[in-house]
Amino acid sequence: MKRMLSGIKPTGQLTLGNYIGALRNFVKYQDEYEMYVFIANLHCITEYQDPQDLRKNLTDAVALYLACGLDPNKSTIFLQTDVRAHAQLGYIMACNTYLGELNRMTQFKDKQAKGEKNMTAGLYTYPSLMAADILLYQANYVPVGEDQKQHVELTRDIAQRMNNKYGDLFTIPEPLVAKVGARIMSLQDPSKKMSKSDETNKGCIYLLDDLKVARKKIMSAVTDSVGVIQLDKENQPGLYNLIEIASSISDRSMEDIADEFKNEGYGKLKGYVADVVCAELEKIQNRYHEIIESKTLEKVLNEGAIKAAKIADETLQNVEKTIGLEIKY
Ligand code: ATP
Ligand code: LTN
């Protein structure tokens, strides 16, 4: 069975973008692959997080993983810091990543261009840690949203380089980006990704949003003045985004949905999208509350960490030995 690994960095509440671009796919893949999914808490602290908020976000993220359908009997679910090898291999990876490579990473460049102050060294070397996350498990595939593809490609380059230098240390992973839903856009500005860090909060639907609030966000999504329902991503990006959201969740094709509403007004389509989204959120939220009350999270994470550490430690030990960090008596 091929191995698959992915992580989510819960710096805030998980969003509909995370669900459609990442989480939902993990659930689909867990029957076909040996699946490893982790909460990337080390990646969270590349920017300051209030400790209390961070703890709450981590707990919510695990509960939401389960509520969205990840099954601990099929997937290994764990917290990044519970497997110490991540930070250890992360350092070794940083020593095998060139500054030129890190300088090309768009996520970092965008933040720098925005003139963000107090950017940390951790934020800069984050792609090296992400490479360690993946390579520790010798993963064949890494399902991610469009924005993370570049990081997985860097991981491949680092792995290839180390394999050339030292012999076969790592499996070369492939990014897996879904055709529909890989980049869900903000409901208020369809030129921007739907993001946790949305300043207004109106363009982003959170998985734990009150259903009335979620509906309102969809009904007031920015569209266009063309007035015709059709699939034209360039000229009608807001409408396209709404149809993409509904298509991803309902498993209907975008063409099918556009066709059903082609003679209707935008309000009717938005109502349909809101129905689809709210029904899904309601299911997720009901399960989320059950899971929080059942107090099973600790057990899931403990078992996950034991399984994950077994594989990760083996890779780390092999790397340390191969690159000459061990003394043989
Ligand atoms: P931020 O919103 O602060 O930019 P993020 O949501 O991109 O952060 P993560 O939570 O780590 O950061 O992302 C987890 C996964 O969700 C990644 O695979 C990412 O590509 C995917 N993802 C995030 N936002 C979207 C989106 N709007 N559309 C599709 N996939 C997304
Ligand atoms: N960088 C990712 C989260 C992440 C990840 C990973 C995803 C950290 N390590 C390893 C896949 C594989 C993000 O910010 N979305």
Side-chain angles (χ1 to χ4, degrees), residues 47-64:
E47 289 168 55
Y48 173 76
Q49 307 290 324
D50 175 80
Q52 232 170 324
D53 290 350
L54 181 56
R55 257 191 294 274
K56 164 96 172 75
N57 288 337
L58 296 180
T59 310
D60 278 354
V62 192
L64 280 168

PDB file of all heavy atoms in Angstrom, residues 47-64:
ATOM      1  N   GLU A  47       4.929  32.272  13.871  1.00  0.00           N
ATOM      2  CA  GLU A  47       4.448  33.621  14.233  1.00  0.00           C
ATOM      3  C   GLU A  47       3.861  33.508  15.636  1.00  0.00           C
ATOM      4  O   GLU A  47       3.340  32.450  15.995  1.00  0.00           O
ATOM      5  CB  GLU A  47       3.336  34.057  13.286  1.00  0.00           C
ATOM      6  CG  GLU A  47       3.852  34.357  11.889  1.00  0.00           C
ATOM      7  CD  GLU A  47       2.723  34.507  10.885  1.00  0.00           C
ATOM      8  OE1 GLU A  47       1.831  35.338  11.112  1.00  0.00           O
ATOM      9  OE2 GLU A  47       2.727  33.775   9.898  1.00  0.00           O
ATOM     10  N   TYR A  48       3.909  34.593  16.402  1.00  0.00           N
ATOM     11  CA  TYR A  48       3.442  34.522  17.790  1.00  0.00           C
ATOM     12  C   TYR A  48       1.984  34.037  17.874  1.00  0.00           C
ATOM     13  O   TYR A  48       1.123  34.499  17.139  1.00  0.00           O
ATOM     14  CB  TYR A  48       3.541  35.891  18.483  1.00  0.00           C
ATOM     15  CG  TYR A  48       2.903  35.858  19.861  1.00  0.00           C
ATOM     16  CD1 TYR A  48       3.567  35.241  20.922  1.00  0.00           C
ATOM     17  CD2 TYR A  48       1.622  36.368  20.079  1.00  0.00           C
ATOM     18  CE1 TYR A  48       2.969  35.144  22.172  1.00  0.00           C
ATOM     19  CE2 TYR A  48       1.023  36.280  21.331  1.00  0.00           C
ATOM     20  CZ  TYR A  48       1.702  35.671  22.367  1.00  0.00           C
ATOM     21  OH  TYR A  48       1.110  35.557  23.595  1.00  0.00           O
ATOM     22  N   GLN A  49       1.741  33.116  18.780  1.00  0.00           N
ATOM     23  CA  GLN A  49       0.376  32.663  19.061  1.00  0.00           C
ATOM     24  C   GLN A  49       0.134  32.803  20.551  1.00  0.00           C
ATOM     25  O   GLN A  49       0.992  32.383  21.343  1.00  0.00           O
ATOM     26  CB  GLN A  49       0.196  31.173  18.725  1.00  0.00           C
ATOM     27  CG  GLN A  49       0.612  30.749  17.336  1.00  0.00           C
ATOM     28  CD  GLN A  49      -0.315  31.274  16.278  1.00  0.00           C
ATOM     29  OE1 GLN A  49      -1.527  31.375  16.475  1.00  0.00           O
ATOM     30  NE2 GLN A  49       0.257  31.652  15.148  1.00  0.00           N
ATOM     31  N   ASP A  50      -0.998  33.319  20.900  1.00  0.00           N
ATOM     32  CA  ASP A  50      -1.361  33.352  22.305  1.00  0.00           C
ATOM     33  C   ASP A  50      -1.478  31.890  22.775  1.00  0.00           C
ATOM     34  O   ASP A  50      -2.194  31.096  22.148  1.00  0.00           O
ATOM     35  CB  ASP A  50      -2.720  34.066  22.444  1.00  0.00           C
ATOM     36  CG  ASP A  50      -3.197  34.022  23.862  1.00  0.00           C
ATOM     37  OD1 ASP A  50      -2.722  34.835  24.645  1.00  0.00           O
ATOM     38  OD2 ASP A  50      -4.036  33.137  24.177  1.00  0.00           O
ATOM     39  N   PRO A  51      -0.757  31.493  23.846  1.00  0.00           N
ATOM     40  CA  PRO A  51      -0.729  30.078  24.234  1.00  0.00           C
ATOM     41  C   PRO A  51      -2.113  29.466  24.459  1.00  0.00           C
ATOM     42  O   PRO A  51      -2.372  28.330  24.065  1.00  0.00           O
ATOM     43  CB  PRO A  51       0.082  30.087  25.535  1.00  0.00           C
ATOM     44  CG  PRO A  51       0.928  31.306  25.443  1.00  0.00           C
ATOM     45  CD  PRO A  51       0.134  32.317  24.676  1.00  0.00           C
ATOM     46  N   GLN A  52      -2.987  30.257  25.073  1.00  0.00           N
ATOM     47  CA  GLN A  52      -4.321  29.702  25.337  1.00  0.00           C
ATOM     48  C   GLN A  52      -5.118  29.472  24.038  1.00  0.00           C
ATOM     49  O   GLN A  52      -5.756  28.441  23.868  1.00  0.00           O
ATOM     50  CB  GLN A  52      -5.093  30.682  26.206  1.00  0.00           C
ATOM     51  CG  GLN A  52      -5.665  30.004  27.413  1.00  0.00           C
ATOM     52  CD  GLN A  52      -6.205  31.042  28.373  1.00  0.00           C
ATOM     53  OE1 GLN A  52      -5.646  32.133  28.520  1.00  0.00           O
ATOM     54  NE2 GLN A  52      -7.299  30.721  29.018  1.00  0.00           N
ATOM     55  N   ASP A  53      -5.020  30.439  23.131  1.00  0.00           N
ATOM     56  CA  ASP A  53      -5.699  30.291  21.835  1.00  0.00           C
ATOM     57  C   ASP A  53      -5.123  29.108  21.080  1.00  0.00           C
ATOM     58  O   ASP A  53      -5.851  28.324  20.464  1.00  0.00           O
ATOM     59  CB  ASP A  53      -5.485  31.531  20.958  1.00  0.00           C
ATOM     60  CG  ASP A  53      -6.238  32.733  21.479  1.00  0.00           C
ATOM     61  OD1 ASP A  53      -7.063  32.545  22.393  1.00  0.00           O
ATOM     62  OD2 ASP A  53      -5.994  33.859  20.986  1.00  0.00           O
ATOM     63  N   LEU A  54      -3.797  28.989  21.138  1.00  0.00           N
ATOM     64  CA  LEU A  54      -3.137  27.911  20.393  1.00  0.00           C
ATOM     65  C   LEU A  54      -3.634  26.546  20.884  1.00  0.00           C
ATOM     66  O   LEU A  54      -4.026  25.692  20.091  1.00  0.00           O
ATOM     67  CB  LEU A  54      -1.614  28.031  20.530  1.00  0.00           C
ATOM     68  CG  LEU A  54      -0.788  26.981  19.783  1.00  0.00           C
ATOM     69  CD1 LEU A  54      -1.106  26.959  18.296  1.00  0.00           C
ATOM     70  CD2 LEU A  54       0.708  27.235  19.956  1.00  0.00           C
ATOM     71  N   ARG A  55      -3.681  26.384  22.205  1.00  0.00           N
ATOM     72  CA  ARG A  55      -4.146  25.109  22.775  1.00  0.00           C
ATOM     73  C   ARG A  55      -5.567  24.798  22.306  1.00  0.00           C
ATOM     74  O   ARG A  55      -5.879  23.686  21.908  1.00  0.00           O
ATOM     75  CB  ARG A  55      -4.140  25.188  24.305  1.00  0.00           C
ATOM     76  CG  ARG A  55      -2.959  24.463  24.942  1.00  0.00           C
ATOM     77  CD  ARG A  55      -3.124  24.343  26.441  1.00  0.00           C
ATOM     78  NE  ARG A  55      -3.095  25.637  27.101  1.00  0.00           N
ATOM     79  CZ  ARG A  55      -1.974  26.254  27.491  1.00  0.00           C
ATOM     80  NH1 ARG A  55      -0.802  25.685  27.304  1.00  0.00           N
ATOM     81  NH2 ARG A  55      -2.016  27.429  28.056  1.00  0.00           N
ATOM     82  N   LYS A  56      -6.412  25.804  22.326  1.00  0.00           N
ATOM     83  CA  LYS A  56      -7.811  25.596  21.922  1.00  0.00           C
ATOM     84  C   LYS A  56      -7.872  25.231  20.427  1.00  0.00           C
ATOM     85  O   LYS A  56      -8.597  24.325  20.018  1.00  0.00           O
ATOM     86  CB  LYS A  56      -8.601  26.886  22.226  1.00  0.00           C
ATOM     87  CG  LYS A  56      -9.942  27.023  21.555  1.00  0.00           C
ATOM     88  CD  LYS A  56     -11.053  26.572  22.491  1.00  0.00           C
ATOM     89  CE  LYS A  56     -12.454  26.862  21.978  1.00  0.00           C
ATOM     90  NZ  LYS A  56     -12.918  25.993  20.919  1.00  0.00           N
ATOM     91  N   ASN A  57      -7.084  25.932  19.615  1.00  0.00           N
ATOM     92  CA  ASN A  57      -7.098  25.650  18.176  1.00  0.00           C
ATOM     93  C   ASN A  57      -6.594  24.244  17.866  1.00  0.00           C
ATOM     94  O   ASN A  57      -7.092  23.581  16.952  1.00  0.00           O
ATOM     95  CB  ASN A  57      -6.244  26.672  17.410  1.00  0.00           C
ATOM     96  CG  ASN A  57      -6.899  28.035  17.360  1.00  0.00           C
ATOM     97  OD1 ASN A  57      -8.121  28.151  17.491  1.00  0.00           O
ATOM     98  ND2 ASN A  57      -6.110  29.076  17.193  1.00  0.00           N
ATOM     99  N   LEU A  58      -5.606  23.792  18.635  1.00  0.00           N
ATOM    100  CA  LEU A  58      -5.073  22.442  18.405  1.00  0.00           C
ATOM    101  C   LEU A  58      -6.135  21.391  18.732  1.00  0.00           C
ATOM    102  O   LEU A  58      -6.363  20.457  17.971  1.00  0.00           O
ATOM    103  CB  LEU A  58      -3.823  22.182  19.260  1.00  0.00           C
ATOM    104  CG  LEU A  58      -2.590  23.052  18.986  1.00  0.00           C
ATOM    105  CD1 LEU A  58      -1.443  22.667  19.913  1.00  0.00           C
ATOM    106  CD2 LEU A  58      -2.141  22.928  17.544  1.00  0.00           C
ATOM    107  N   THR A  59      -6.783  21.591  19.864  1.00  0.00           N
ATOM    108  CA  THR A  59      -7.829  20.638  20.268  1.00  0.00           C
ATOM    109  C   THR A  59      -8.956  20.626  19.239  1.00  0.00           C
ATOM    110  O   THR A  59      -9.415  19.567  18.805  1.00  0.00           O
ATOM    111  CB  THR A  59      -8.420  21.054  21.649  1.00  0.00           C
ATOM    112  OG1 THR A  59      -7.341  21.280  22.531  1.00  0.00           O
ATOM    113  CG2 THR A  59      -9.345  20.001  22.195  1.00  0.00           C
ATOM    114  N   ASP A  60      -9.386  21.815  18.833  1.00  0.00           N
ATOM    115  CA  ASP A  60     -10.462  21.899  17.836  1.00  0.00           C
ATOM    116  C   ASP A  60     -10.063  21.227  16.532  1.00  0.00           C
ATOM    117  O   ASP A  60     -10.874  20.574  15.879  1.00  0.00           O
ATOM    118  CB  ASP A  60     -10.801  23.368  17.543  1.00  0.00           C
ATOM    119  CG  ASP A  60     -11.743  23.937  18.588  1.00  0.00           C
ATOM    120  OD1 ASP A  60     -12.207  23.158  19.445  1.00  0.00           O
ATOM    121  OD2 ASP A  60     -12.009  25.153  18.540  1.00  0.00           O
ATOM    122  N   ALA A  61      -8.793  21.409  16.162  1.00  0.00           N
ATOM    123  CA  ALA A  61      -8.350  20.839  14.888  1.00  0.00           C
ATOM    124  C   ALA A  61      -8.432  19.309  14.919  1.00  0.00           C
ATOM    125  O   ALA A  61      -8.949  18.698  13.981  1.00  0.00           O
ATOM    126  CB  ALA A  61      -6.937  21.290  14.563  1.00  0.00           C
ATOM    127  N   VAL A  62      -7.984  18.702  16.009  1.00  0.00           N
ATOM    128  CA  VAL A  62      -8.056  17.226  16.076  1.00  0.00           C
ATOM    129  C   VAL A  62      -9.520  16.791  16.048  1.00  0.00           C
ATOM    130  O   VAL A  62      -9.895  15.865  15.318  1.00  0.00           O
ATOM    131  CB  VAL A  62      -7.421  16.651  17.372  1.00  0.00           C
ATOM    132  CG1 VAL A  62      -7.247  15.149  17.247  1.00  0.00           C
ATOM    133  CG2 VAL A  62      -6.112  17.297  17.691  1.00  0.00           C
ATOM    134  N   ALA A  63     -10.336  17.480  16.846  1.00  0.00           N
ATOM    135  CA  ALA A  63     -11.760  17.107  16.889  1.00  0.00           C
ATOM    136  C   ALA A  63     -12.394  17.279  15.507  1.00  0.00           C
ATOM    137  O   ALA A  63     -13.207  16.455  15.074  1.00  0.00           O
ATOM    138  CB  ALA A  63     -12.491  17.962  17.925  1.00  0.00           C
ATOM    139  N   LEU A  64     -11.983  18.311  14.796  1.00  0.00           N
ATOM    140  CA  LEU A  64     -12.551  18.534  13.463  1.00  0.00           C
ATOM    141  C   LEU A  64     -12.036  17.505  12.450  1.00  0.00           C
ATOM    142  O   LEU A  64     -12.768  17.100  11.546  1.00  0.00           O
ATOM    143  CB  LEU A  64     -12.263  19.955  12.978  1.00  0.00           C
ATOM    144  CG  LEU A  64     -13.213  21.010  13.559  1.00  0.00           C
ATOM    145  CD1 LEU A  64     -12.721  22.424  13.279  1.00  0.00           C
ATOM    146  CD2 LEU A  64     -14.635  20.839  13.010  1.00  0.00           C
TER     147      LEU A  64
END
